[in-house]
Amino acid sequence: MKYTEEHEWLREEDGVMVVGITAHAAEQLGDVVFVELPEVGDTVSKDDEIVVIESVKAASDILAPLDGEVVEVNEAIVDEPSKVNDDPEGEAWFFKLKVSDASPMDDYMDEAGYKAFIG
């Protein structure tokens, strides 16, 4: 798993990148009350605003960590946004991306680097 400075995590699974937010980000947001996901088939570029997440404390945009095509979204967190607080690095992933260029992954942090970053 890799981590961005924007508190997103990425995990490769069956040739696609699964993307979500970290436990630290979920904790900072507080109780998540709304999630708006991209559409399957959307083509995104790195740093495009791709997800809107709202909590009792704030609204935040999640940026696309890589270029690619959205191949699946997690409708369960749209129906039940609190799942993001319950399991942000597991069942509450946001979307899956078929990546066109994975080279930016080299710039992202591993778990130890991310823990030092938020430390």
Side-chain angles (χ1 to χ4, degrees):
M1 196 170 334
K2 293 284 196 158
Y3 299 86
T4 72
E5 290 186 0
E6 290 77 32
H7 308 287
E8 299 163 346
W9 57 261
L10 300 90
R11 176 180 67 229
E12 187 171 350
E13 201 174 89
D14 300 326
V16 297
M17 278 310 158
V18 182
V19 181
I21 63 168
T22 65
H24 175 77
E27 185 180 303
Q28 295 299 309
L29 281 168
D31 294 334
V32 175
V33 296
F34 175 80
V35 178
E36 181 181 315
L37 298 173
E39 297 288 326
V40 171
D42 283 356
T43 301
V44 297
S45 297
K46 184 179 181 306
D47 297 329
D48 283 354
E49 293 177 357
I50 189 169
V51 173
V52 176
I53 185 168
E54 294 180 9
S55 72
V56 294
K57 290 183 184 178
S60 298
D61 293 320
I62 306 299
L63 306 179
L66 300 165
D67 297 346
E69 178 186 349
V70 177
V71 294
E72 189 177 341
V73 295
N74 189 354
E75 292 292 344
I77 64 171
V78 173
D79 297 335
E80 200 176 331
S82 63
K83 286 179 184 263
V84 174
N85 298 109
D86 297 337
D87 191 13
E89 294 184 25
E91 293 299 312
W93 55 273
F94 284 18
F95 59 90
K96 295 183 180 180
L97 197 62
K98 183 178 179 186
V99 178
S100 55
D101 177 14
S103 64
M105 288 286 290
D106 297 337
D107 298 331
Y108 293 145
M109 297 170 272
D110 61 12
E111 187 174 1
Y114 181 73
K115 285 183 176 176
F117 174 72
I118 62 174

